[in-house]
Amino acid sequence: MQPRDALTDNIATHFPGRSITFDEPRQFPLARRTVAVILAWLVPGAGHLVLGKRGRALLFFLTIVGAFIFGLILNGHLYWPTPDPSATFRFDLITVLWFFAQIGSGLCYVASYVLGLGTAAIPQAAASPTFEYGNTFMFLAGLLNYLVIHDAFDIAAGRKR
């Protein structure tokens, strides 16, 4: 035991032969980075799967796709930028922002739009008491996938493990 006066904050000096090694993040080739980012947008979690992060890929896929499907079940609406000649930007800005949030979920949005899910006219869709909750879940899915895309890029660029 050390006397109280000899105690130091630097414990590593007492164990010179021991060290903890961490594997450094590695940078992936440009082609693999590009594929990872594109797939991360198309299918949530697929970019992480390409980079070998299977656990994260499954977690992101289940979370984002689940939130999007839950939003559709709650009668959420798919938004598309609609021209508005009276608006300053020629489009209804709120609709454009909502579209941007939802399109971030990739094929979830595209497949739903092609299948006609969530495309009911707004007055009929808004009559549902869960309309706003559904929209919120679908916005959340798209915006969360933007963060997942960024995370896949950071891993591919060698900025994180």
Side-chain angles (χ1 to χ4, degrees):
M1 297 235 324
Q2 292 180 329
R4 189 173 187 86
D5 297 335
L7 289 176
T8 63
D9 289 335
N10 190 358
I11 297 174
T13 57
H14 297 289
F15 303 98
R18 297 184 184 179
S19 65
I20 299 173
T21 57
F22 295 102
D23 56 331
E24 290 296 318
R26 63 186 175 104
Q27 186 174 9
F28 289 87
L30 181 62
R32 194 163 176 190
R33 266 186 274 172
T34 306
V35 167
V37 168
I38 291 170
L39 285 178
W41 173 71
L42 284 174
V43 179
H48 287 80
L49 193 62
V50 167
L51 300 173
K53 306 289 186 185
R54 284 177 265 163
R56 283 187 192 183
L58 181 63
L59 175 70
F60 292 146
F61 178 80
L62 292 175
T63 303
I64 294 169
V65 173
F68 194 88
I69 291 172
F70 193 59
L72 283 174
I73 290 169
L74 292 176
N75 298 318
H77 181 74
L78 293 178
Y79 287 89
W80 186 265
T82 53
D84 185 5
S86 65
T88 307
F89 299 107
R90 301 179 65 127
F91 286 98
D92 179 17
L93 189 57
I94 294 297
T95 306
V96 171
L97 293 174
W98 287 343
F99 166 75
F100 178 75
Q102 287 180 338
I103 197 73
S105 59
L107 286 179
C108 291
Y109 179 90
V110 174
S112 298
Y113 197 81
V114 168
L115 294 173
L117 303 172
T119 56
I122 294 287
Q124 287 83 13
S128 169
T130 58
F131 173 72
E132 291 298 330
Y133 294 113
N135 287 338
T136 304
F137 272 100
M138 292 185 344
F139 300 151
L140 166 86
L143 294 175
L144 184 59
N145 199 38
Y146 286 127
L147 293 175
V148 169
I149 294 167
H150 185 57
D151 185 62
F153 177 78
D154 280 347
I155 292 170
R159 294 184 197 154
K160 66 183 283 191
R161 279 183 250 136

